[in-house]
Amino acid sequence: PVQPSAAEFTVDTSEGGGGDLVVRCLAPDGTAVATYQSMESRGVHTIKMSPVVSGRHTVDVLWSGDHIPGSPFSMDVEMAKGAAAAAGLTVSGSALSKAYASTPAAFTIEAPGGLLPEDVTVSVSGAKGQQAEVNVRQASSDALSAIYVPPTTGAYLVNVLHQGAHVHGSPFKVSVFQRPRPDRCAI
């Protein structure tokens, strides 16, 4: 079995001709699992997935709509210790889907019964390897505020873990854009 944070593999499409790579992962209950792909070198893609439930997951790897050899395949996932506690956390805020480069982006992590900054691990990474510094602080007795500043535009993943397990929805796929500049427009 794999731990959810370690669900990663590569796909080599360098000999596959022109086409599009599509990777889908389904949890045992049929719900989609967040997948993220980046091209490491010409035709070699790294696929990262973050399952949030234990059990047998099905992975489809398609090149231009057709399964590649070995696809679909199954992987058994064993949730990390603390997964049950992570399931009780709620993460919310627009910065979990959209943010602006070089601009602080904030979201909230809540847990009934209390939560401290040291109870969670938050990381933000871009497809090109860039990392955003994250500051997690106490907002109330049962809520934390997490603030990050993505350095450049592009696709990012926001990982929120509690006791080593991803909270529901993590990793969150975030699109980072250049901040609009209406002050540079004219009539």
Side-chain angles (χ1 to χ4, degrees), residues 25 29 33 62-63 88 107 112-113 126 141 158:
C25 179
D29 65 0
V33 172
L62 304 136
W63 183 247
F107 60 92
S141 63
V158 173

Side-chain angles (χ1 to χ4, degrees), residues 90 107-119 136-146:
T90 303
F107 60 92
T108 303
I109 306 165
E110 296 177 286
L115 189 63
L116 297 171
E118 56 268 19
D119 293 336
V136 179
R137 61 179 178 76
Q138 198 77 45
S140 70
S141 63
D142 55 357
L144 304 174
S145 174

Side-chain angles (χ1 to χ4, degrees), residues 56-147:
R56 181 152 295 188
H57 287 60
T58 303
V59 180
D60 295 307
V61 182
L62 304 136
W63 183 247
S64 293
D66 294 317
H67 285 276
I68 67 169
S71 172
F73 66 91
S74 297
M75 77 176 172
D76 291 322
V77 174
E78 185 177 298
M79 293 306 292
K81 182 180 174 185
L89 271 64
T90 303
V91 184
S92 62
S94 62
L96 296 170
S97 60
K98 180 180 178 182
Y100 295 106
S102 302
T103 304
F107 60 92
T108 303
I109 306 165
E110 296 177 286
L115 189 63
L116 297 171
E118 56 268 19
D119 293 336
V120 299
T121 303
V122 179
S123 64
V124 180
S125 57
K128 298 175 186 166
Q130 63 275 47
Q131 299 290 316
E133 188 173 325
V134 181
N135 181 10
V136 179
R137 61 179 178 76
Q138 198 77 45
S140 70
S141 63
D142 55 357
L144 304 174
S145 174
I147 301 171

Side-chain angles (χ1 to χ4, degrees), residues 161-183:
L161 292 91
H162 182 258
Q163 296 180 356
H166 281 276
V167 302
H168 181 71
S170 175
F172 300 90
K173 292 181 181 181
V174 179
S175 297
V176 176
F177 301 96
Q178 195 64 35
R179 177 158 282 295
R181 296 294 309 261
D183 59 319

